PDB file of all heavy atoms in Angstrom:
ATOM      1  N   CYS A 136       9.041 -39.106  20.055  1.00  0.00           N
ATOM      2  CA  CYS A 136       8.337 -38.945  21.336  1.00  0.00           C
ATOM      3  C   CYS A 136       8.452 -40.185  22.221  1.00  0.00           C
ATOM      4  O   CYS A 136       8.898 -40.182  23.297  1.00  0.00           O
ATOM      5  CB  CYS A 136       6.808 -38.551  21.360  1.00  0.00           C
ATOM      6  SG  CYS A 136       6.502 -37.343  20.091  1.00  0.00           S
ATOM      7  N   ASP A 137       7.884 -41.289  21.571  1.00  0.00           N
ATOM      8  CA  ASP A 137       7.884 -42.590  22.392  1.00  0.00           C
ATOM      9  C   ASP A 137       9.197 -43.128  22.801  1.00  0.00           C
ATOM     10  O   ASP A 137       9.270 -43.778  23.821  1.00  0.00           O
ATOM     11  CB  ASP A 137       7.086 -43.583  21.548  1.00  0.00           C
ATOM     12  CG  ASP A 137       5.651 -43.286  21.134  1.00  0.00           C
ATOM     13  OD1 ASP A 137       5.186 -42.265  21.790  1.00  0.00           O
ATOM     14  OD2 ASP A 137       4.990 -43.856  20.352  1.00  0.00           O
ATOM     15  N   GLN A 138      10.205 -42.773  21.980  1.00  0.00           N
ATOM     16  CA  GLN A 138      11.549 -43.426  22.333  1.00  0.00           C
ATOM     17  C   GLN A 138      11.833 -43.077  23.796  1.00  0.00           C
ATOM     18  O   GLN A 138      12.247 -43.961  24.559  1.00  0.00           O
ATOM     19  CB  GLN A 138      12.586 -42.827  21.550  1.00  0.00           C
ATOM     20  CG  GLN A 138      12.494 -43.318  20.029  1.00  0.00           C
ATOM     21  CD  GLN A 138      13.015 -44.814  19.988  1.00  0.00           C
ATOM     22  OE1 GLN A 138      13.913 -45.134  20.658  1.00  0.00           O
ATOM     23  NE2 GLN A 138      12.354 -45.608  19.127  1.00  0.00           N
ATOM     24  N   CYS A 139      11.970 -41.708  24.123  1.00  0.00           N
ATOM     25  CA  CYS A 139      12.212 -41.455  25.484  1.00  0.00           C
ATOM     26  C   CYS A 139      11.094 -41.700  26.426  1.00  0.00           C
ATOM     27  O   CYS A 139      11.487 -42.158  27.611  1.00  0.00           O
ATOM     28  CB  CYS A 139      12.615 -39.947  25.604  1.00  0.00           C
ATOM     29  SG  CYS A 139      13.979 -39.447  24.622  1.00  0.00           S
ATOM     30  N   HIS A 140       9.882 -41.486  26.076  1.00  0.00           N
ATOM     31  CA  HIS A 140       8.801 -41.774  26.949  1.00  0.00           C
ATOM     32  C   HIS A 140       8.711 -43.155  27.554  1.00  0.00           C
ATOM     33  O   HIS A 140       8.575 -43.540  28.633  1.00  0.00           O
ATOM     34  CB  HIS A 140       7.399 -41.404  26.399  1.00  0.00           C
ATOM     35  CG  HIS A 140       7.328 -39.809  26.193  1.00  0.00           C
ATOM     36  ND1 HIS A 140       6.417 -39.342  25.391  1.00  0.00           N
ATOM     37  CD2 HIS A 140       7.950 -38.853  26.697  1.00  0.00           C
ATOM     38  CE1 HIS A 140       6.315 -38.027  25.383  1.00  0.00           C
ATOM     39  NE2 HIS A 140       7.434 -37.587  26.171  1.00  0.00           N
ATOM     40  N   ASN A 141       9.076 -44.089  26.583  1.00  0.00           N
ATOM     41  CA  ASN A 141       9.109 -45.376  26.899  1.00  0.00           C
ATOM     42  C   ASN A 141      10.272 -45.817  27.947  1.00  0.00           C
ATOM     43  O   ASN A 141      10.210 -46.532  28.804  1.00  0.00           O
ATOM     44  CB  ASN A 141       9.091 -46.430  25.731  1.00  0.00           C
ATOM     45  CG  ASN A 141       7.875 -46.324  24.957  1.00  0.00           C
ATOM     46  OD1 ASN A 141       6.906 -45.849  25.479  1.00  0.00           O
ATOM     47  ND2 ASN A 141       7.822 -46.730  23.633  1.00  0.00           N
ATOM     48  N   TYR A 142      11.348 -45.078  27.434  1.00  0.00           N
ATOM     49  CA  TYR A 142      12.627 -45.354  28.320  1.00  0.00           C
ATOM     50  C   TYR A 142      12.494 -45.047  29.690  1.00  0.00           C
ATOM     51  O   TYR A 142      12.961 -45.688  30.579  1.00  0.00           O
ATOM     52  CB  TYR A 142      13.819 -44.567  27.658  1.00  0.00           C
ATOM     53  CG  TYR A 142      15.105 -44.875  28.193  1.00  0.00           C
ATOM     54  CD1 TYR A 142      15.628 -46.284  28.187  1.00  0.00           C
ATOM     55  CD2 TYR A 142      15.868 -43.909  28.942  1.00  0.00           C
ATOM     56  CE1 TYR A 142      16.806 -46.619  28.852  1.00  0.00           C
ATOM     57  CE2 TYR A 142      17.045 -44.261  29.482  1.00  0.00           C
ATOM     58  CZ  TYR A 142      17.577 -45.541  29.321  1.00  0.00           C
ATOM     59  OH  TYR A 142      18.721 -45.873  30.000  1.00  0.00           O
ATOM     60  N   VAL A 143      11.854 -43.798  29.828  1.00  0.00           N
ATOM     61  CA  VAL A 143      11.732 -43.280  31.251  1.00  0.00           C
ATOM     62  C   VAL A 143      10.355 -43.747  31.898  1.00  0.00           C
ATOM     63  O   VAL A 143       9.981 -43.274  32.995  1.00  0.00           O
ATOM     64  CB  VAL A 143      11.913 -41.865  31.448  1.00  0.00           C
ATOM     65  CG1 VAL A 143      13.393 -41.417  31.045  1.00  0.00           C
ATOM     66  CG2 VAL A 143      10.896 -41.023  30.580  1.00  0.00           C
ATOM     67  N   ALA A 144       9.659 -44.582  31.113  1.00  0.00           N
ATOM     68  CA  ALA A 144       8.384 -45.100  31.631  1.00  0.00           C
ATOM     69  C   ALA A 144       7.335 -44.006  31.984  1.00  0.00           C
ATOM     70  O   ALA A 144       6.830 -44.063  33.136  1.00  0.00           O
ATOM     71  CB  ALA A 144       8.544 -46.174  32.773  1.00  0.00           C
ATOM     72  N   VAL A 145       7.143 -42.998  31.196  1.00  0.00           N
ATOM     73  CA  VAL A 145       6.103 -42.084  31.421  1.00  0.00           C
ATOM     74  C   VAL A 145       5.105 -42.234  30.189  1.00  0.00           C
ATOM     75  O   VAL A 145       5.315 -42.663  29.139  1.00  0.00           O
ATOM     76  CB  VAL A 145       6.599 -40.595  31.456  1.00  0.00           C
ATOM     77  CG1 VAL A 145       7.482 -40.393  32.556  1.00  0.00           C
ATOM     78  CG2 VAL A 145       7.166 -40.104  30.108  1.00  0.00           C
ATOM     79  N   ALA A 146       3.766 -41.941  30.564  1.00  0.00           N
ATOM     80  CA  ALA A 146       2.684 -42.158  29.645  1.00  0.00           C
ATOM     81  C   ALA A 146       1.813 -40.904  29.479  1.00  0.00           C
ATOM     82  O   ALA A 146       0.804 -40.942  30.206  1.00  0.00           O
ATOM     83  CB  ALA A 146       1.916 -43.468  29.794  1.00  0.00           C
ATOM     84  N   PRO A 147       2.368 -39.920  28.790  1.00  0.00           N
ATOM     85  CA  PRO A 147       1.534 -38.694  28.808  1.00  0.00           C
ATOM     86  C   PRO A 147       0.266 -38.986  28.090  1.00  0.00           C
ATOM     87  O   PRO A 147       0.259 -39.775  27.029  1.00  0.00           O
ATOM     88  CB  PRO A 147       2.397 -37.640  27.957  1.00  0.00           C
ATOM     89  CG  PRO A 147       3.450 -38.501  27.332  1.00  0.00           C
ATOM     90  CD  PRO A 147       3.554 -39.874  28.153  1.00  0.00           C
ATOM     91  N   ASN A 148      -0.860 -38.432  28.542  1.00  0.00           N
ATOM     92  CA  ASN A 148      -2.115 -38.889  27.971  1.00  0.00           C
ATOM     93  C   ASN A 148      -2.560 -37.859  26.768  1.00  0.00           C
ATOM     94  O   ASN A 148      -3.938 -37.850  26.531  1.00  0.00           O
ATOM     95  CB  ASN A 148      -3.358 -38.999  28.908  1.00  0.00           C
ATOM     96  CG  ASN A 148      -3.578 -37.812  29.785  1.00  0.00           C
ATOM     97  OD1 ASN A 148      -2.887 -36.726  29.645  1.00  0.00           O
ATOM     98  ND2 ASN A 148      -4.439 -37.947  30.553  1.00  0.00           N
ATOM     99  N   CYS A 149      -1.659 -37.038  26.299  1.00  0.00           N
ATOM    100  CA  CYS A 149      -2.084 -36.214  25.244  1.00  0.00           C
ATOM    101  C   CYS A 149      -2.776 -36.864  24.218  1.00  0.00           C
ATOM    102  O   CYS A 149      -3.788 -36.359  23.612  1.00  0.00           O
ATOM    103  CB  CYS A 149      -0.823 -35.657  24.552  1.00  0.00           C
ATOM    104  SG  CYS A 149       0.481 -34.898  25.671  1.00  0.00           S
ATOM    105  N   TRP A 150      -2.319 -38.175  23.871  1.00  0.00           N
ATOM    106  CA  TRP A 150      -2.884 -38.825  22.641  1.00  0.00           C
ATOM    107  C   TRP A 150      -4.180 -39.389  22.790  1.00  0.00           C
ATOM    108  O   TRP A 150      -4.773 -40.054  21.944  1.00  0.00           O
ATOM    109  CB  TRP A 150      -1.827 -39.862  22.204  1.00  0.00           C
ATOM    110  CG  TRP A 150      -0.468 -39.238  22.128  1.00  0.00           C
ATOM    111  CD1 TRP A 150       0.508 -39.470  22.968  1.00  0.00           C
ATOM    112  CD2 TRP A 150       0.018 -38.361  21.192  1.00  0.00           C
ATOM    113  NE1 TRP A 150       1.707 -38.708  22.655  1.00  0.00           N
ATOM    114  CE2 TRP A 150       1.408 -37.954  21.568  1.00  0.00           C
ATOM    115  CE3 TRP A 150      -0.487 -37.629  20.147  1.00  0.00           C
ATOM    116  CZ2 TRP A 150       2.141 -37.003  20.970  1.00  0.00           C
ATOM    117  CZ3 TRP A 150       0.265 -36.585  19.445  1.00  0.00           C
ATOM    118  CH2 TRP A 150       1.521 -36.314  19.924  1.00  0.00           C
ATOM    119  N   GLY A 151      -4.664 -39.250  24.071  1.00  0.00           N
ATOM    120  CA  GLY A 151      -6.089 -39.811  24.215  1.00  0.00           C
ATOM    121  C   GLY A 151      -6.980 -38.985  23.416  1.00  0.00           C
ATOM    122  O   GLY A 151      -8.075 -39.444  23.073  1.00  0.00           O
ATOM    123  N   CYS A 152      -6.831 -37.765  23.354  1.00  0.00           N
ATOM    124  CA  CYS A 152      -7.534 -36.874  22.473  1.00  0.00           C
ATOM    125  C   CYS A 152      -6.913 -36.307  21.144  1.00  0.00           C
ATOM    126  O   CYS A 152      -7.445 -36.432  20.153  1.00  0.00           O
ATOM    127  CB  CYS A 152      -8.086 -35.667  23.300  1.00  0.00           C
ATOM    128  SG  CYS A 152      -8.932 -36.044  24.849  1.00  0.00           S
ATOM    129  N   HIS A 153      -5.733 -35.802  21.339  1.00  0.00           N
ATOM    130  CA  HIS A 153      -5.050 -35.098  20.172  1.00  0.00           C
ATOM    131  C   HIS A 153      -4.641 -36.210  19.176  1.00  0.00           C
ATOM    132  O   HIS A 153      -4.118 -37.330  19.461  1.00  0.00           O
ATOM    133  CB  HIS A 153      -3.915 -34.317  20.638  1.00  0.00           C
ATOM    134  CG  HIS A 153      -4.364 -33.128  21.469  1.00  0.00           C
ATOM    135  ND1 HIS A 153      -4.819 -32.024  20.927  1.00  0.00           N
ATOM    136  CD2 HIS A 153      -4.505 -32.914  22.799  1.00  0.00           C
ATOM    137  CE1 HIS A 153      -5.164 -31.103  21.780  1.00  0.00           C
ATOM    138  NE2 HIS A 153      -5.054 -31.707  22.999  1.00  0.00           N
ATOM    139  N   LEU A 154      -4.748 -35.746  18.003  1.00  0.00           N
ATOM    140  CA  LEU A 154      -4.435 -36.717  16.903  1.00  0.00           C
ATOM    141  C   LEU A 154      -2.966 -36.556  16.469  1.00  0.00           C
ATOM    142  O   LEU A 154      -2.621 -35.370  16.491  1.00  0.00           O
ATOM    143  CB  LEU A 154      -5.361 -36.515  15.767  1.00  0.00           C
ATOM    144  CG  LEU A 154      -6.901 -36.454  16.023  1.00  0.00           C
ATOM    145  CD1 LEU A 154      -7.599 -35.893  15.008  1.00  0.00           C
ATOM    146  CD2 LEU A 154      -7.395 -37.928  16.305  1.00  0.00           C
ATOM    147  N   GLN A 155      -2.339 -37.606  16.072  1.00  0.00           N
ATOM    148  CA  GLN A 155      -1.013 -37.385  15.635  1.00  0.00           C
ATOM    149  C   GLN A 155      -0.880 -36.689  14.159  1.00  0.00           C
ATOM    150  O   GLN A 155       0.097 -35.784  14.103  1.00  0.00           O
ATOM    151  CB  GLN A 155      -0.333 -38.840  15.388  1.00  0.00           C
ATOM    152  CG  GLN A 155       0.008 -39.553  16.524  1.00  0.00           C
ATOM    153  CD  GLN A 155       0.619 -40.851  16.275  1.00  0.00           C
ATOM    154  OE1 GLN A 155       1.548 -40.967  15.430  1.00  0.00           O
ATOM    155  NE2 GLN A 155       0.101 -41.843  16.910  1.00  0.00           N
ATOM    156  N   GLU A 156      -1.794 -36.957  13.388  1.00  0.00           N
ATOM    157  CA  GLU A 156      -1.671 -36.336  12.021  1.00  0.00           C
ATOM    158  C   GLU A 156      -2.629 -35.079  12.060  1.00  0.00           C
ATOM    159  O   GLU A 156      -3.498 -34.928  11.295  1.00  0.00           O
ATOM    160  CB  GLU A 156      -1.934 -37.329  10.926  1.00  0.00           C
ATOM    161  CG  GLU A 156      -3.445 -37.903  10.861  1.00  0.00           C
ATOM    162  CD  GLU A 156      -3.804 -38.729  12.019  1.00  0.00           C
ATOM    163  OE1 GLU A 156      -2.952 -38.986  12.870  1.00  0.00           O
ATOM    164  OE2 GLU A 156      -4.973 -39.251  12.031  1.00  0.00           O
ATOM    165  N   GLY A 157      -2.442 -34.276  13.058  1.00  0.00           N
ATOM    166  CA  GLY A 157      -3.256 -32.911  13.110  1.00  0.00           C
ATOM    167  C   GLY A 157      -2.944 -32.118  11.888  1.00  0.00           C
ATOM    168  O   GLY A 157      -1.917 -32.125  11.432  1.00  0.00           O
ATOM    169  N   LYS A 158      -3.947 -31.317  11.481  1.00  0.00           N
ATOM    170  CA  LYS A 158      -3.766 -30.413  10.342  1.00  0.00           C
ATOM    171  C   LYS A 158      -4.227 -29.061  10.747  1.00  0.00           C
ATOM    172  O   LYS A 158      -5.113 -28.872  11.585  1.00  0.00           O
ATOM    173  CB  LYS A 158      -4.563 -30.908   9.087  1.00  0.00           C
ATOM    174  CG  LYS A 158      -4.007 -31.979   8.364  1.00  0.00           C
ATOM    175  CD  LYS A 158      -4.106 -31.730   6.862  1.00  0.00           C
ATOM    176  CE  LYS A 158      -3.678 -32.941   6.069  1.00  0.00           C
ATOM    177  NZ  LYS A 158      -4.421 -34.021   6.116  1.00  0.00           N
ATOM    178  N   LYS A 159      -3.549 -28.053  10.080  1.00  0.00           N
ATOM    179  CA  LYS A 159      -4.227 -26.669  10.346  1.00  0.00           C
ATOM    180  C   LYS A 159      -5.498 -26.665   9.802  1.00  0.00           C
ATOM    181  O   LYS A 159      -5.930 -27.258   8.775  1.00  0.00           O
ATOM    182  CB  LYS A 159      -3.261 -25.766   9.572  1.00  0.00           C
ATOM    183  CG  LYS A 159      -1.841 -25.689  10.004  1.00  0.00           C
ATOM    184  CD  LYS A 159      -1.244 -24.252  10.028  1.00  0.00           C
ATOM    185  CE  LYS A 159       0.076 -24.234  10.866  1.00  0.00           C
ATOM    186  NZ  LYS A 159       0.937 -25.373  10.371  1.00  0.00           N
TER     187      LYS A 159
END
Side-chain angles (χ1 to χ4, degrees):
Chain A
C136 314
D137 294 352
Q138 287 289 322
C139 295
H140 290 166
N141 290 344
Y142 185 64
V143 295
V145 292
N148 62 354
C149 313
W150 312 108
C152 298
H153 292 276
L154 307 164
Q155 281 180 49
E156 67 290 358
K158 279 225 183 70
K159 296 217 172 48

